[in-house]
Amino acid sequence: MYLCVKNALHLEALVDLLIEDERIVTMTPAGHQKLPENCEVFDAEGLVLMPSFIDAHVHLREPGFEYKETIASGLNAAVHGGFGSVMCMANTKPVNDNAAVTSLMLTKAQQSHPHGPRLYPIGAATKNLEGRELAPMGELKEAGCVAISNDGRPVQSSEMMRRIMEYAADFSLTVIDHCEDPTLADHWVMNEGEMSGLLGVKGQPAVGEALQAARDIMLAEYLGLPVHIAHVSSALTVDVIAWGKARGIAVTAETCPHYLLLDESALEGYNALCKVSPPLRSTKDRDALLRAVADGTIDILVTDHAPHALHEKMTALDQALVGFSGLDLAVTLTWGLVKEDLLPEDALHRLWARRPGEIFHLPTNGFAPGDPADFFLFDPHAVWIPSEENLYSKGKNTPFLGQELSGRVKHHWLGGKAIF
Ligand code: DOR
Ligand code: ZN
């Protein structure tokens, strides 16, 4: 079964993409392709062609918090947002620290989305994420986990972090490290700085993130093992990562669209929709992060999709839960950076597809013959306003709710099959 997607815009060139069943045959300049017989044709005029993205850091809330998100609703948001693969964190209830929970997640994904997006669970690093006892990583890997993390609950003990890295390495699992020194700021609501002072609320200093990143990068060097630094939010952490890379340490890192687009001033007016962990920081931090994603110091983008019910967010700042719903909006938001000339278009492919594929050993589409036919078409001119009605995720908790945005994913194929 052949399909030709004609006249698509790919890195500013007009191309035709030929697919046979679930694989790419060729991508050529538009009009240069002799089509096989019985070839279905899809005219993509005016639409941008991109490889399906990988989101290496989402919270899908099932089991345990299905009122916030289910695996079905999360994967639906993913595919409509341009993601063909998502890696889901372990802070469910029960925690994903055993094979039964991993299998349940995979079964749910298979039942609701048999043709994708693909779900790749991340196992807990410690039992119940408590930081006291190692989780059974061999069992987690065998059940289908592709990485290990204590995300949401930073690991305070350096000794425990060392054991996590060593044990994970026995099973070739990368550790995704939520870096935050929990002793530096308890019950924080935002970044510590002038703005937290003005608002009179408890802040969390950026140095707490950098301190733990430095510790774990040094541990990685000492042990000769890799570490992946989660949701980097500060300029100081970027410097620590650059230092580690310059020393040849196997450190990789991620940040999220919101740290590139927003800063702590968003919390003026005590807007709890802008409360997230780690917190939005200063404009200086935001600018350093933009440079770091452009130059590759930060390897990948992730959403840290953290859906919550609106009643958990629309409350006093100190009571509100942390996190943003991200899957529906990430491509639109990062396309905005391309439009503003802050990132080249190709950087989106690198940050959202190529590098996460390399780091976590997941299949990606580089539009070469034989690659998986996983791609989406994006309308750069579609103007829309995210609302409770048009977001596919159950989580409507995004600071961009009600704001006019341009660009939206229009069609998505996975394994050569049109999902929408
Ligand atoms: O904002 C966040 N929300 N950061 C985390 O680390 C955890 C996440 C969640 O699970 O809600
Ligand atoms: Zn997270």
Side-chain angles (χ1 to χ4, degrees):
M1 179 60 188
Y2 287 99
L3 165 71
C4 182
V5 176
K6 284 177 80 75
N7 301 317
L9 276 163
H10 180 76
L11 302 175
E12 295 180 1
L14 264 189
V15 300
D16 292 344
L17 180 69
L18 184 64
I19 293 130
E20 184 181 12
D21 300 325
E22 70 277 6
R23 302 263 154 207
I24 305 287
V25 179
T26 60
M27 185 164 69
T28 57
H32 285 66
Q33 191 114 222
K34 190 173 168 313
L35 296 187
E37 271 174 40
N38 302 324
C39 181
E40 188 192 331
V41 173
F42 186 98
D43 190 354
E45 198 185 329
L47 301 177
V48 175
L49 171 67
M50 293 199 244
S52 297
F53 287 177
I54 296 172
D55 191 343
H57 187 151
V58 304
H59 299 266
L60 293 191
R61 308 303 193 201
E62 187 174 4
F65 303 99
E66 289 83 355
Y67 70 97
K68 297 178 197 259
E69 191 84 290
T70 60
I71 286 173
S73 64
L75 291 181
N76 208 27
V79 75
H80 284 88
F83 294 97
S85 306
V86 296
M87 291 168 53
C88 62
M89 283 295 174
N91 62 344
T92 46
K93 196 166 108 193
V95 163
N96 185 16
D97 62 6
N98 64 79
V101 176
T102 309
S103 306
L104 173 110
M105 289 173 164
L106 290 171
T107 304
K108 293 271 175 183
Q110 188 56 33
Q111 282 168 351
S112 71
H113 289 76
H115 303 291
R118 286 178 282 274
L119 183 71
Y120 296 99
I122 300 166
T126 60
K127 283 194 184 158
N128 208 28
L129 298 173
E130 282 167 4
R132 284 200 278 268
E133 239 183 300
L134 289 170
M137 297 184 198
E139 171 186 320
L140 288 166
K141 165 127 185 187
E142 214 174 280
C145 287
V146 299
I148 288 295
S149 185
N150 237 51
D151 186 58
R153 302 272 300 272
V155 178
Q156 191 170 342
S157 153
S158 308
E159 161 72 6
M160 179 51 77
M161 192 62 198
R162 173 201 180 146
R163 298 297 169 211
I164 289 169
M165 287 164 78
E166 288 176 330
Y167 196 37
D170 288 345
F171 305 103
S172 307
L173 290 165
T174 298
V175 178
I176 303 175
D177 190 7
H178 176 135
C179 292
E180 176 185 342
D181 181 336
T183 63
L184 257 184
D186 224 7
H187 298 107
W188 56 269
V189 301
M190 66 178 295
N191 182 44
E192 182 172 290
E194 220 171 285
M195 183 63 71
S196 64
L198 274 172
L199 296 178
V201 298
K202 180 102 195 255
Q204 186 223 50
V207 68
E209 176 183 270
L211 270 175
Q212 219 174 71
R215 177 195 76 178
D216 296 344
I217 291 168
M218 286 183 196
L219 277 174
E221 179 174 49
Y222 175 62
L223 301 170
L225 296 175
V227 68
H228 178 79
I229 310 297
H231 42 49
V232 176
S233 67
S234 83
L236 194 55
T237 311
V238 170
D239 288 347
V240 169
I241 292 161
W243 172 85
K245 288 193 166 184
R247 280 172 79 88
I249 303 170
V251 54
T252 53
E254 63 186 41
T255 191
C256 317
H258 42 271
Y259 300 116
L260 304 175
L261 289 156
L262 301 173
D263 61 65
E264 60 193 342
S265 66
L267 283 109
E268 222 179 330
Y270 301 86
N271 183 359
L273 267 185
C274 296
K275 183 175 171 187
V276 64
S277 171
L280 301 172
R281 307 232 187 239
S282 68
T283 50
K284 192 179 128 262
D285 293 303
R286 191 197 59 199
D287 293 347
L289 289 165
L290 265 171
R291 284 194 298 275
V293 292
D295 72 19
T297 306
I298 295 214
D299 298 80
I300 67 171
L301 285 170
V302 300
T303 61
D304 196 7
H305 178 73
H308 291 294
L310 275 182
H311 72 265
E312 296 168 319
K313 293 292 285 185
M314 302 297 217
T315 169
L317 193 53
D318 62 340
Q319 303 292 315
L321 298 185
V322 287
F324 298 161
S325 183
L327 284 167
D328 282 273
L329 294 173
V331 178
T332 300
L333 295 175
T334 47
W335 178 260
L337 297 171
V338 174
K339 254 191 1 193
E340 285 175 46
D341 273 338
L342 292 166
L343 277 182
E345 185 179 338
D346 178 52
L348 295 188
H349 302 191
R350 166 171 61 82
L351 292 158
W352 283 121
R354 227 161 39 236
R355 277 301 279 150
E358 285 165 11
I359 294 170
F360 298 107
H361 313 291
L362 306 182
T364 45
N365 170 18
F367 293 110
D371 279 358
D374 300 342
F375 58 92
F376 64 90
L377 292 171
F378 179 81
D379 180 353
H381 302 296
V383 173
W384 64 295
I385 299 176
S387 69
E388 287 183 50
E389 290 71 44
N390 64 14
L391 294 178
Y392 287 90
S393 167
K394 281 194 184 190
K396 315 300 179 186
N397 51 309
T398 160
F400 299 96
L401 204 66
Q403 284 187 31
E404 186 172 290
L405 301 173
S406 60
R408 199 162 192 194
V409 177
K410 286 286 159 171
H411 304 276
H412 199 159
W413 282 261
L414 289 171
K417 190 175 165 47
I419 308 291
F420 81 97

